[in-house]
Structure formats: structure tokens, C-alpha cells
């Protein structure tokens, strides 16, 4: 299925929390400032129904997203009040992908875990949690994965300040 | 008291009158020990160099080529100097006594075993009636050294190596001993010189393994058990590099580590020699037969015999290296299964078969 | 797929061995219960292929729990991606999976090209395909050789490295680097292949076809090797999907999925339609479907398939430009794109977000090694210590990529 087909199917299946979709579009040649939007289409999902949405995606026959390929977050800007939580789903049976995005308020930055829907999400969420300071509620193993256990701050946030030293080792 | 010692017999008539008998014995002992130490050192040097060269040529490389000029012959020597001049390190939590003692125990036991090995039909340190028994007994003692090293190192990997060594040696002592019974049954003596002499017929090719098909079978089992005893691949589980870092050797470095290696190569040579004595003719070969026929049992014959034995021992070592650089390593349960379930019954079968074969042969003749 | 498979059970617990025996894979009966031993395999350990650390709980030789710990090689690739220009980031892509740098370059370039919406010249695509497939062979040679090393067979490793050396020399000729190429650029390739290079590639293909058979017979068909790898570390197809495994790990479990064929990029659609290559799958030929042997054998078979693709490219390559026209300072139109390509280890994904500026807002890298690793926690318990080495080796991780 192409993106439109998947989106229609999600609508038809009444996927919980489905908000909207965003399609790439060409820029307006007349307006210099409008460059359009390049890249992939994605669906926007309400973070409140986060896990249920993916359950639908996984269990619906026509969608059949067996694999969660990637889960990460994006901090679009320092003064933006939302994170984006991005997920890439893949269906091997139907040979299609779906990009899912949720706008998650930075404060308090809590979202349900997907580790019980896709085991693949477990490590991605651990990484995402330590890099952005997002809390994945109900995560079975919420430890740091790449950073040391005592690392302060969330490095991939745009307002992250590089530490001057770490355990007496100068970082400058 | 020293009738068995060829060196004593040689030196005793030449000794001046004022030298007491114990002086001759002492001299003999010192010379003998020096010879054994020299042999072990030589084997270790040649062994490490050969291991590098054999592995290199199996792997389409040259190996060491620079040190000493001709094909890097001095590489082992240079390594030895490096190892001796290294800092002697003992881990903090180690049991210092045992840690320092274990290489000595290993090397000591292999020295003792080497003393029972005759170098030529008329040159030996002891004409021991239970010669091979003594060798097997002393070479089993090396296990204690390994277990000691593993325990004393205060490292989990070392402990794993030690436990594996203990389990493996216990499992393979049985097929080792039992499969050796087959040729012993045929030749009827534990004495290595006598066993060798018994194989001098058929132009020096009357080797026990060719006289009795079950002994040939037993020789294969014996060789496999020897591989396990000497911790060579595919049975190198005690030091299994990719699993246990270096097993019981993990914490060792410098001179102590090199002592372990001296022991390994000496044990390899020793066991190859035992294989040669009881399965493949010992001193006997067509060459030694010719020497015997042409020059009698004088010096020429002795030298040819010594060279024959050295060649057979070296070939055994080469076989071990060849296997090591060809085969993957077994897993511990597979090693145990092979030892207990397959090799032990097969070895018993070979002994039985060898006995029946001999009985039939006697009945027919 | 039920929710059942997704229930997380920490493996570092005292596992019930009776339950393990009941599963029927292997039986361990113990009379005496003693305290389990916790062993740190790594960060410095010959079998962890770098600086991974696996905390192993072992009952003697029997592993009862395993927990991978990462991060010893974390180099902040994603943060760097948000601080350097689009073109400047390319050399950093070399460094995540340093054994398949060409593939990493390709993944990143394709993602940026998708945002830019540009077409790349056909000759560039051809050279890209040749380089990527040769790099796949080089990477699989390392995987295969070091796997033999893990199991104690030293010699095949050297043979593999001899062939890899030839490949590295070819790469050196085309781009001057042996490991971190940065040769596949945004818009094409850095420069055209030097004269005679394509003929040399052809020579390599001829030799490799012969050698490949030898290596397969030497190691893959070795009885001890089969005994050590068959029935070990079995990943069921359900597990493989649930854990998001990709690449040879997924195909080793018998799932027919290859991005080159199923979600084609560059010229792979055309090559597949020409019937050039096959997708090797695990079949359980020596044991259970999805065991270590299957996974390794998939890699071994993929090497000849890559040779076929290279041969097709060599036969069909035509002269032409090798890089698209691009401005000196690249400004990528705002938007976001995800591009996944078939790396030797699985799907390498780049999720790039641009706001129209000179640098990326987000440069997410989905490394296949990272995603293929969590399965260890599930398949390592109830194996022997030596098996755990075989299992780690069969996942073919490159720590540079798990930690990025």
C-alpha cells in the first residue's frame, strides 16, 4: 500500500489517537520563503493513545506492521515546547513503511512505552530516554544504555550544555 | 645401584681413584639434569619457532623472517630474552605462593617424566622397567600445576580454565592409559628400550601398530587422548583464547608464562615420543636397521637411533600443530562426551581385540 | 503475533533449570545447586569484537543469564550530525560500521538526496553498486573469518583477510582510503573509477568464485564447526520480527526479506528483474531453523550473490558523469526523510530532519548492530559459555555501530 492507502486504512480501522497526516509538497515558486516540505509523509498521533495506536498497526490484517524499525525523538528547536517522537514501522508482508510522529510536550515529557507491543522498542526507548530525558512509562528496564549511569543532562536536547568536566576529566 | 644408568657405566671406569663413588653419581646426576634442561629448552625454542613457521605456511604467510637472518631462526630466542626481561607481575588478589609455585610444578613434573625417556638404546638415565608408567604418572602431575595456577590467579577466567583442565584430564587419562595397554599387551614390557628393541624386525619396520591392527586403532585413540592431555587444539579448552581470554594463563606474564610454554612443548614432545615408542617403532626404522647391519651397535647406531627418535617426536609435534591450525575448538560437553562415551569404550575394545589377535597368532604359530 | 512474545523477562535472574530442560532444546539436570558466578565478558575480551561488555551469570559452564552493556565506544555521532554541515557529516558515517563504510556513505547520501529530490547519474549508481557490493563481501569476509576465530579455527580467518586485502587494495585505488572511504558522496561518487579498475574488479570476481567454494568447504562444512553452531542460539521467526532484526539475522531465521529486492533503491530493482541474484535464506539445513549455522551460512552465500551483482554492473556500465551538479554549500529544503538500506548487517536507517539550513536539525542513525543485539538477552541463557561466544559471533556486531 502507498501512504494514502495506509492512512485511509488507519482511518477506517479507527486507530486510536490518529490525528492527522502530513504529506510532502512542492514549494510555491511565487513565494521565495515557501520552500515546501521535502521527504516522507507521516501520520501524527496523539501521545495519550500512543501504545494503542501501535497495537492497532500491528494487529490489523491489512496494515500488518510486524516490525518496529526505529524509534527516536527529535528536539526541533530550543524554544519549541514539543519533542517529536518518531517511529518507523515496517510491514514485511505488504512491503510498506509508515512514519509515525507524536508531538510530546517537553514538560513533563512522559509517554507510554512500546516495549510491550514491540520488543524492538525496548533499547530504542532506553536510548531515547537518556538522550532527551523522555520518560517511557512502564518501561521494563529503564537504565541508561549508551551513557554512563551517572551522566547528567540529556545530550540531544537543543538546550544541552556541554559539561566542563566529567569525574575530574576535562572535556574542553 | 646405578647399573641402569648408561652415563654412570660410561664414566665409572674412567673415574680417577681418588673420586669416591658418590662423586661419580653426583657428576652423572648433574650432567643428566643439564642434558634434560638443555633438551627442554631446545624443544621449547625450536617448538615456538616451528609453530610460527608451520602456522604461517598453513595460512599462506611467511611468519618471522628477519631476526637472525635465515627464516627468522632467532625469533624464539629474541622472544625468550624479551620474556625474561619483562617485569614480573603478580596480581594483587593472587595467592602469591601458589602463583609462583605452579609453573615450577608443571616444569618439574615434565622434567621428571623426561628423565625416564631413553635417548638412545644404550644411553638413558635409568633403565626403568616401568618407564612408560613413570612418564604417564609424572605427566598427569602437570594438571595439579594448572589447577593451582587457575586458582591462584584470582581471576574467574583462570578458574574456568583450571576446572576445564581438571575435567578434561580426568576424562582423557582413561582412554590414554587403556589404549596404551594394547601395545603393552603385544610387546609385554613397560620398559621403553625393550619395547623398541622388540620392534626391530622386518628391516626396522616391525612396528607394533603394523603387527596388530587393533594396536593401530589404539594408536589413533592414544594420539587423540594425547592432544587432550597436552591441551592442544581441538582440545585447547583450558586456555581457549576466544572464550576464556587465555584460561589459566590469563594473569601470567614474562618468565612464568614462558615456563608454561616450555612445559607445553616439552610435554608435546614427550607424548609424541611415547607414541613413537609403543606404536611406531621407537628407535627402529629402516635407517637404524641399516646402521645396525653396517656398523653394529656402536656409536653410529646410537646416533642414528637418537635421530630417528627425534624425527618421530618432531613429526608428532608437527601433526599436533597441523591439527591445531586446521580444526575449530570443541565445546566442553563434546570433549567430555568424546572421552567418556566414545574413546574409552573404543580403547577397551582395542585392548580386547589386540589380546584376541595375539592369542590367535600364538595358536596358529 | 501475540502479546506473549513481547513480555519482558530479565535474564539476569536465577533461572529455573527444570523449566529450561522442559523446553526440550537441551537438558541440564543438576543435583547440587550452588551460587551462580557472575562473569564480565568484556569490555576487553577477544570474543566481543570490540568493546562490548556482556554480564554473564553462569552456573559452572552453563550460562543462566546475560545482559549486554553498551556505550564504551559512544562517539556522539548523532549530536555531531546536528552541528556540522550536510557534506561535512559524510566522513562521520564511515565510522559507525567501520567494516562497511561504503554502505554507510550510501545510506546517508540517499537520505540527503531524498530530501534534495535529485537524480543521480546512472554511471554513479553503477559504481556505487559495485563499491557497495564489494564492501559487503569484505564485511562478510570479516564476519565469517572472525566467526571461525571465535570457535578456535584460526586459519580461515587469515584466508578471509587475504581476500579482503585485495578488496581493500581495490578501494584504495578508487578512493585512496582503505577503511573509511567517504567515497560515495551526496549526488554520486567522488570521482570516476581509474582506468583499468573495472577489469581488476572482474579479476577479483573470477578468483573469488573459486576461493569461496574452498572457504565454504573448509569451515562451514567442517564437522566440528557444524557441531558447535547447529542448534545453538536459535531465533524463531516470531522472535526475529518482534525484536526488529534485519539483514542476515532475519534471513537466517527463514524470513524472506531483503530491502534490495523488496524496497529497492538505486538500480537494485532493475538488477533483480534481470534475475541476477537470489536472496539466500536460512533453512535449518544442519539443525534447527534460525540457529547460528544458518545465520553464518546466509552471510557466506550472500558473498557469491554480491559477486553476481558486481558482474552484472560490470557488464552494463556505460560512460557518463559520476556526480550530479550541486552547490558548494548545500542547503537542504525543509522536511524529514527516512531511508533504510540493506547494510551487510541489516537495515541501516537515516532519519534526517532539515529546516532548510546548512545543518541538520536531527540526524538519527538506526544502526543494524544496535537493533540486532538485544536478542542476546533472550537466546544466551541456557547455553554453555562456549556457545555464548558462538552466539555473539553469529550476530556479527560491530561495536562502532551499536554505540555510534
Amino acid at each position: 500500500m502507498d501512504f494514502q492507502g495506509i492512512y485511509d486504512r488507519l482511518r477506517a480501522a479507527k486507530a486510536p489517537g490518529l490525528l492527522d497526516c502530513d504529506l510532502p509538497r512542492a514549494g510555491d515558486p511565487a513565494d521565495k520563503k515557501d520552500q515546501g516540505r521535502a521527504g516522507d509523509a507521516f501520520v501524527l498521533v496523539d501521545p495519550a493513545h500512543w501504545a494503542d495506536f501501535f497495537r492497532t498497526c500491528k494487529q490489523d490484517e491489512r496494515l500488518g506492521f510486524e516490525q518496529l524499525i526505529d524509534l527516536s525523538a527529535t528536539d526541533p528547536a530550543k524554544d519549541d515546547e514539543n519533542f517529536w517522537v518518531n517511529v518507523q514501522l515496517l510491514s514485511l508482508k505488504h512491503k510498506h513503511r509508515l512514519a509515525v510522529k507524536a508531538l510530546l510536550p517537553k514538560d513533563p515529557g512522559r509517554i507510554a512505552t512500546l516495549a510491550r507491543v514491540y520488543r524492538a522498542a525496548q533499547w530504542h526507548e532506553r536510548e531515547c530516554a537518556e538522550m532527551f530525558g523522555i520518560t517511557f512509562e512502564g518501561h521494563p528496564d529503564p537504565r541508561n544504555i549508551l551513557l554512563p549511569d551517572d551522566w547528567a543532562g540529556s545530550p540531544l536536547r537543543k538546550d544541552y550544555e556541554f559539561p566542563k568536566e566529567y569525574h575530574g576529566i576535562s572535556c574542553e | 645401584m646405578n647399573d641402569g644408568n648408561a652415563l654412570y657405566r660410561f664414566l665409572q671406569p674412567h673415574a680417577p681413584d681418588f673420586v669416591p663413588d658418590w662423586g661419580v653419581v653426583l657428576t652423572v646426576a648433574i650432567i643428566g639434569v643439564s642434558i634434560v634442561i638443555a633438551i627442554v629448552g631446545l624443544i621449547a625454542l625450536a617448538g615456538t619457532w616451528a609453530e610460527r613457521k608451520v602456522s604461517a605456511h598453513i595460512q599462506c604467510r611467511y611468519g618471522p623472517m628477519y631476526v637472525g637472518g635465515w627464516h627468522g631462526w632467532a625469533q624464539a630466542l629474541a622472544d625468550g630474552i624479551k620474556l625474561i626481561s619483562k617485569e614480573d607481575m603478580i596480581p594483587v588478589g593472587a595467592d602469591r605462593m601458589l602463583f609462583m609455585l605452579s609453573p615450577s610444578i608443571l616444569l618439574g613434573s615434565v622434567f621428571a617424566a623426561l628423565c625416564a625417556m631413553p635417548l638412545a638404546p644404550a644411553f638413558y638415565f635409568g633403565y626403568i622397567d616401568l618407564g612408560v608408567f613413570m612418564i604417564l604418572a609424572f605427566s598427569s602431575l602437570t594438571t595439579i600445576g594448572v589447577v593451582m595456577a587457575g586458582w591462584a590467579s584470582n581471576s574467574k577466567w583462570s578458574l574456568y580454565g583450571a576446572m576445564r583442565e581438571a575435567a578434561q584430564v580426568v576424562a582423557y587419562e582413561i582412554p590414554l592409559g587403556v589404549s596404551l595397554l594394547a601395545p603393552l599387551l603385544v610387546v609385554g614390557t613397560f620398559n621403553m628400550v625393550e619395547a623398541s628393541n622388540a620392534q626391530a624386525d622386518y628391516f626396522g619396520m616391525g612396528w607394533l601398530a603394523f603387527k596388530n591392527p587393533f594396536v593401530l586403532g589404539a594408536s589413533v585413540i592414544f594420539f587423540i587422548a594425547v592432544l587432550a592431555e597436552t591441551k592442544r587444539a581441538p582440545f585447547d579448552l583450558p586456555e581457549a583464547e576466544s572464550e576464556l581470554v587465555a584460561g589459566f594463563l590469563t594473569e601470567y606474564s614474562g618468565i612464568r608464562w614462558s615456563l608454561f610454554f616450555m612445559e607445553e612443548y616439552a610435554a608435546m614432545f614427550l607424548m609424541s615420543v611415547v607414541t613413537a615408542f609403543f606404536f611406531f617403532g621407537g628407535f627402529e626404522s629402516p635407517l637404524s636397521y641399516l646402521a645396525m647391519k653396517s656398523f653394529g651397535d656402536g656409536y653410529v647406531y646410537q646416533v642414528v637411533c637418537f635421530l630417528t627418535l627425534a624425527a618421530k617426536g618432531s613429526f608428532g609435534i608437527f601433526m599436533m600443530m597441523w591439527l591445531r591450525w586446521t580444526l575449530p575448538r570443541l565445546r566442553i560437553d563434546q570433549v567430555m562426551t568424546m572421552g567418556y562415551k566414545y574413546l574409552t569404550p573404543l580403547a577397551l575394545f582395542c585392548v580386547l581385540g589386540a589380546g584376541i589377535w595375539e592369542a590367535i597368532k600364538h595358536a596358529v604359530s | 503475533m501475540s502479546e506473549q512474545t513481547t513480555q519482558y523477562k530479565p535474564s539476569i535472574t536465577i533461572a529455573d533449570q527444570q523449566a529450561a530442560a522442559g523446553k526440550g532444546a537441551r537438558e541440564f539436570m543438576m543435583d547440587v545447586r550452588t551460587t551462580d558466578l557472575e562473569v564480565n565478558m568484556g569490555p576487553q575480551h577477544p570474543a566481543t569484537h570490540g568493546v562490548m561488555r556482556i554480564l554473564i551469570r553462569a552456573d559452572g559452564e552453563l550460562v543462566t543469564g546475560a545482559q549486554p552493556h553498551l556505550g564504551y565506544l559512544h562517539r556522539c555521532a548523532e549530536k555531531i550530525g546536528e552541528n556540522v554541515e550536510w557534506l561535512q557529516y559524510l566522513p562521520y558515517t564511515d565510522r559507525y560500521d567501520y567494516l562497511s563504510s561504503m554502505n554507510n556513505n550510501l545510506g546517508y547520501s540517499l537520505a540527503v538526496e531524498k530530501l534534495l529530490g535529485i537524480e543521480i547519474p546512472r554511471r554513479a549508481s553503477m559504481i556505487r553498486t559495485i563499491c557497495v557490493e564489494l564492501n559487503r563481501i569484505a564485511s562478510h569476509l570479516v564476519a565469517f573469518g572472525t566467526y571461525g576465530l571465535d570457535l578456535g579455527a584460526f586459519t580461515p580467518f587469515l584466508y578471509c583477510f587475504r581476500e579482503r586485502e585485495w578488496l581493500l587494495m581495490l578501494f584504495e585505488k578508487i578512493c585512496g582510503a582503505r577503511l573509511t572511504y567517504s567515497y560515495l558522496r551526496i549526488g554520486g561518487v567522488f570521482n570516476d573509477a581509474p582506468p583499468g579498475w573495472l577489469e581488476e574488479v572482474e579479476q577479483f570476481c573470477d578468483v573469488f568464485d573459486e576461493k569461496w567454494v574452498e572457504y565454504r568447504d573448509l569451515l562451514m562444512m567442517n564437522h566440528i564447526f557444524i557441531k558447535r553452531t547447529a542448534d545453538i542460539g536459535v531465533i524463531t521467526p516470531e522472535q526475529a520480527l518482534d525484536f526488529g532484526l534485519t539483514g542476515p539475522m532475519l534471513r537466517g531465521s527463514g524470513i524472506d526479506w531483503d530491502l534490495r529486492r523488496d524496497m529497492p533503491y538505486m538500480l537494485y530493482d532493475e538488477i533483480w528483474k534481470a534475475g541476477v541474484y537470489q536472496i539466500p535464506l536460512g533453512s535449518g539445513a544442519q539443525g534447527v531453523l534460525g540457529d547460528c549455522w544458518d545465520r553464518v551460512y546466509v552471510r557466506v552465500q550472500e558473498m557469491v550473490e554480491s559477486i553476481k551483482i558486481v558482474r552484472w554492473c560490470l557488464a552494463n556500465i556505460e560512460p557518463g558523469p559520476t556526480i550530479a551538479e550541486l552547490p558548494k554549500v548545500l542547503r537542504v529544503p525543509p522536511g524529514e526523510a527516512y531511508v533504510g538500506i540493506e547494510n551487510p548487517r541489516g537495515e541501516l536507517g537515516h532519519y534526517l530532519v532539515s529546516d532548510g539550513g546548512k545543518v541538520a536539525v536531527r540526524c538519527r542513525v538506526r544502526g543494524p548492530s544496535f537493533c540486532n543485539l538485544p536478542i542476546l538477552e533472550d537466546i544466551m541463557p541456557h547455553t554453555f559459555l562456549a556457545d555464548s561466544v558462538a552466539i555473539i559471533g553469529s550476530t556479527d556486531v560491530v561495536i562502532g555501530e551499536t554505540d555510534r
Side-chain angles (χ1 to χ4, degrees):
Chain A
M1 271 193 280
D2 60 350
F3 179 76
Q4 199 58 48
I6 297 169
Y7 184 63
D8 292 343
R9 176 67 202 158
L10 280 169
R11 277 263 173 255
K14 294 197 173 56
L18 180 65
L19 293 178
D20 199 2
C21 72
D22 191 322
L23 298 167
R25 60 192 170 79
D28 186 359
D31 185 359
K32 273 249 169 165
K33 279 191 180 160
D34 184 15
Q35 292 174 291
R37 190 179 87 70
D40 291 327
F42 58 83
V43 293
L44 267 176
V45 174
D46 182 4
H49 299 94
W50 186 239
D52 293 331
F53 176 81
F54 286 98
R55 239 173 236 127
T56 313
C57 288
K58 190 180 183 183
Q59 284 159 5
D60 190 278
E61 264 303 302
R62 301 254 303 276
L63 296 169
F65 288 110
E66 301 108 324
Q67 275 199 328
L68 180 140
I69 288 293
D70 189 18
L71 185 150
S72 68
T74 303
D75 186 3
K78 214 181 242 181
D79 47 1
D80 201 304
E81 57 191 29
N82 288 329
F83 287 124
W84 306 345
V85 183
N86 317 91
V87 172
Q88 305 293 335
L89 293 179
L90 176 66
S91 167
L92 277 60
K93 203 169 14 172
H94 306 297
K95 299 187 182 176
H96 56 224
R97 280 185 194 280
L98 179 64
V100 183
K101 186 195 269 187
L103 298 182
L104 181 70
K106 281 184 182 171
D107 186 32
R110 301 174 82 84
I111 197 165
T113 180
L114 297 184
R116 296 185 200 286
V117 189
Y118 298 101
R119 273 293 300 270
Q122 194 177 322
W123 279 26
H124 288 306
E125 282 178 356
R126 279 170 70 183
E127 191 189 347
C128 197
E130 68 183 0
M131 293 297 179
F132 291 93
I134 298 173
T135 311
F136 288 89
E137 286 169 341
H139 192 279
D141 189 19
R143 291 177 294 126
N144 274 5
I145 187 162
L146 294 181
L147 300 179
D149 290 339
D150 57 349
W151 192 263
S154 308
L156 281 179
R157 286 170 90 125
K158 288 284 191 287
D159 57 3
Y160 178 71
E161 285 191 8
F162 288 92
K164 293 277 185 288
E165 62 152 33
Y166 177 69
H167 287 294
I169 307 162
S170 170
C171 298
E172 285 173 300
Chain B
M1 118 188 195
N2 278 304
D3 285 334
N5 195 314
L7 211 58
Y8 179 83
R9 264 191 283 116
F10 177 74
L11 280 183
Q12 216 266 336
H14 300 290
D17 289 340
F18 62 85
V19 176
D21 191 48
W22 60 265
V24 182
V25 173
L26 196 70
T27 317
V28 165
I30 289 169
I31 294 174
V33 168
S34 317
I35 290 175
V36 171
I37 290 177
I39 289 174
V40 170
L42 200 69
I43 291 169
L45 282 182
T48 43
W49 180 79
E51 179 101 61
R52 280 154 185 257
K53 282 311 217 187
V54 169
S55 69
H57 283 276
I58 286 176
Q59 293 164 350
C60 309
R61 328 179 258 124
Y62 290 117
M65 288 299 281
Y66 295 101
V67 186
W70 183 80
H71 286 266
W73 66 270
Q75 182 69 44
L77 214 60
D79 276 347
I81 292 167
K82 181 206 77 172
L83 286 168
I84 289 168
S85 55
K86 255 182 148 174
E87 187 191 348
D88 179 27
M89 290 211 286
I90 297 175
V92 173
D95 186 330
R96 291 181 70 90
M97 247 282 281
L98 293 183
F99 191 86
M100 290 192 283
L101 198 61
S102 69
S104 322
I105 287 187
L106 272 166
L107 212 54
S109 55
V110 85
F111 276 148
L114 267 175
C115 288
M117 184 187 92
L119 295 178
F123 189 81
Y124 35 76
F125 307 118
Y127 194 76
I128 307 167
D129 280 339
L130 282 177
V132 68
F133 192 78
M134 178 171 161
I135 288 181
L136 288 188
F138 273 113
S139 66
S140 304
L141 210 63
T142 56
T143 315
I144 293 176
V146 170
V147 174
M148 233 178 195
W151 175 256
S153 296
N154 190 31
S155 158
K156 286 166 185 172
W157 300 118
S158 301
L159 189 62
Y160 265 116
M163 290 299 121
R164 283 184 175 188
E165 163 81 3
Q168 187 171 313
V169 167
V170 168
Y172 279 80
E173 282 286 307
I174 305 163
L176 186 82
V178 173
S179 61
L180 194 61
L181 283 182
L184 288 175
L185 226 144
V186 178
V187 76
T189 174
F190 280 98
N191 188 309
M192 297 171 84
V193 179
E194 286 174 13
S196 169
N197 290 340
Q199 301 176 59
D201 44 0
Y202 300 108
F203 310 105
M205 287 301 284
W207 300 356
L208 291 179
F210 302 153
K211 281 180 177 167
N212 187 324
F214 292 95
V215 176
L216 189 63
S219 75
V220 176
I221 297 169
F222 185 79
F223 190 71
I224 294 173
V226 162
L227 286 178
E229 280 278 305
T230 51
K231 312 182 280 292
R232 292 294 291 186
F235 301 101
D236 59 344
L237 287 104
E239 42 192 294
E241 183 219 303
S242 57
E243 295 153 26
L244 303 184
V245 189
F248 62 92
L249 290 169
T250 307
E251 303 293 342
Y252 278 89
S253 63
I255 185 71
R256 283 184 229 287
W257 183 83
S258 66
L259 290 184
F260 277 107
F261 262 71
M262 278 170 90
E263 183 272 334
E264 179 170 336
Y265 284 103
M268 277 162 70
F269 184 75
L270 188 69
M271 294 317 258
S272 308
V273 162
V274 172
T275 319
F277 266 114
F278 285 92
F279 296 97
F280 300 108
F283 298 122
E284 300 306 330
S285 68
L287 220 59
S288 32
Y289 175 81
L290 272 179
M292 181 71 167
K293 279 279 164 276
S294 328
F295 303 102
D297 60 351
Y299 286 110
V300 176
Y301 174 67
Q302 303 297 336
V303 168
V304 170
C305 279
F306 172 74
L307 292 178
T308 308
L309 188 69
K312 284 176 181 174
S314 310
F315 184 73
I317 293 184
F318 170 72
M319 287 278 287
M320 291 178 181
M321 288 176 182
W322 185 8
L323 285 173
R324 171 170 178 188
W325 298 105
T326 309
L327 294 177
R329 187 182 302 120
L330 287 164
R331 199 171 56 211
I332 187 74
D333 64 322
Q334 291 165 343
V335 170
M336 294 291 125
T337 310
M338 194 167 157
Y340 283 122
K341 284 194 190 162
Y342 299 113
L343 290 188
T344 306
L346 273 175
L348 285 168
F349 173 74
C350 283
V351 173
L352 190 71
I356 292 170
W357 183 279
E358 285 304 305
I360 292 171
K361 220 156 82 174
H362 275 283
V364 169
S365 64
Chain C
M1 265 149 290
S2 65
E3 296 262 308
Q4 212 69 41
T5 54
T6 66
Q7 289 302 315
Y8 176 71
K9 206 173 106 220
S11 58
I12 295 278
T13 54
I14 296 173
D16 186 354
Q17 281 164 3
Q18 291 293 339
K23 280 179 192 156
R26 295 240 214 96
E27 287 187 19
F28 301 109
M29 301 300 282
M30 302 276 169
D31 293 322
V32 187
R33 284 304 297 273
T34 46
T35 316
D36 285 3
L37 184 73
E38 272 184 11
V39 198
N40 255 323
M41 191 180 257
Q44 290 90 24
H45 188 278
T48 52
H49 296 211
V51 285
M52 179 171 57
R53 170 177 153 226
I54 297 181
L55 183 63
I56 284 180
R57 172 167 290 199
D59 184 0
E61 285 279 338
L62 181 70
V63 175
T64 57
Q67 196 175 56
H69 288 245
L70 313 178
Y72 292 92
L73 205 60
H74 181 53
R75 290 153 302 170
C76 326
E78 294 181 8
K79 189 74 180 171
I80 291 170
E82 296 171 12
N83 286 290
V84 296
E85 289 179 22
W86 294 98
L87 271 169
Q88 285 175 338
Y89 184 64
L90 196 81
Y92 291 98
T93 63
D94 288 331
R95 271 118 184 129
Y96 6 101
D97 177 356
Y98 36 77
L99 295 180
S100 57
S101 303
M102 290 280 188
N103 289 270
N104 302 344
N105 293 163
L106 178 69
Y108 180 71
S109 305
L110 284 177
V112 178
E113 283 156 16
K114 189 171 183 181
L115 279 175
L116 286 167
I118 54 168
E119 282 286 310
I120 66 159
R122 189 174 163 82
R123 186 178 172 85
S125 283
M126 284 284 190
I127 295 178
R128 275 182 172 191
T129 312
I130 294 171
C131 287
V132 161
E133 293 302 327
L134 289 180
N135 202 194
R136 190 187 309 279
I137 296 168
S139 170
H140 281 337
L141 277 172
V142 176
F144 174 62
T146 52
Y147 194 59
L149 208 59
D150 285 345
L151 298 183
F154 291 78
T155 302
F157 172 73
L158 270 292
Y159 292 162
C160 287
F161 264 56
R162 184 182 52 184
E163 252 51 65
R164 180 168 177 263
E165 187 64 30
W166 192 345
L167 281 172
L168 295 189
M169 267 157 62
L170 287 173
F171 290 141
E172 196 176 1
K173 270 188 184 158
I174 200 168
C175 67
R178 286 165 57 86
L179 201 65
T180 50
Y181 312 110
S182 300
Y183 173 63
L184 274 53
R185 301 286 166 91
I186 299 165
V189 294
F190 172 56
N191 52 14
D192 204 349
W197 190 80
L198 297 170
E199 287 73 32
E200 282 179 50
V201 172
E202 185 130 31
Q203 273 174 17
F204 170 81
C205 293
D206 293 340
V207 174
F208 189 79
D209 270 342
E210 285 171 31
K211 297 282 182 195
W212 178 84
V213 180
E214 284 176 25
Y215 299 162
R216 186 194 57 187
D217 294 347
L218 181 67
L219 191 59
M220 292 309 293
M221 302 305 169
N222 182 306
H223 190 69
I224 298 178
F225 183 85
I226 291 172
K227 285 281 168 201
R228 282 292 308 274
T229 54
D231 297 343
I232 304 296
V234 178
I235 301 175
T236 61
E238 291 76 30
Q239 267 183 319
L241 288 174
D242 197 28
F243 275 85
L245 302 188
T246 46
M249 295 277 284
L250 186 68
R251 291 193 281 278
S253 293
I255 295 175
D256 196 2
W257 179 258
D258 190 316
L259 286 171
R260 286 176 294 174
R261 179 195 62 191
D262 296 314
M263 289 190 161
Y265 48 94
M266 291 201 306
L267 302 171
Y268 282 114
D269 201 25
E270 192 181 334
I271 303 173
W272 173 257
K273 285 189 180 127
V276 173
Y277 66 105
Q278 308 283 316
I279 309 290
L281 294 178
S283 58
Q286 306 289 349
V288 184
L289 177 67
D291 56 13
C292 290
W293 193 87
D294 273 350
R295 287 196 283 282
V296 178
Y297 196 50
V298 163
R299 292 195 185 98
V300 173
Q301 284 174 302
E302 269 182 19
M303 290 197 264
V304 265
E305 302 303 330
S306 293
I307 286 284
K308 290 178 193 164
I309 298 174
V310 171
R311 278 186 198 281
W312 184 88
C313 291
L314 290 174
N316 289 287
I317 193 163
E318 286 154 6
T322 54
I323 191 155
E325 288 288 327
L326 284 175
K328 272 258 159 59
V329 177
L330 206 58
R331 281 181 193 277
V332 173
E336 54 180 87
Y338 176 87
V339 172
I341 65 154
E342 188 72 28
N343 229 31
R345 284 166 188 78
E347 176 172 343
L348 173 77
H350 278 87
Y351 171 74
L352 302 176
V353 181
S354 165
D355 60 355
K358 282 191 284 189
V359 296
V361 172
R362 176 83 170 104
C363 173
R364 161 74 180 161
V365 185
R366 185 254 188 224
S369 297
F370 179 81
C371 305
N372 290 347
L373 211 52
I375 191 94
L376 286 183
E377 264 183 280
D378 271 41
I379 58 174
M380 263 169 68
H382 313 299
T383 57
F384 282 110
L385 198 66
D387 291 339
S388 66
V389 173
I391 292 169
I392 296 168
S394 79
T395 59
D396 186 22
V397 287
V398 169
I399 300 302
E401 196 174 53
T402 61
D403 295 355
R404 299 185 296 282

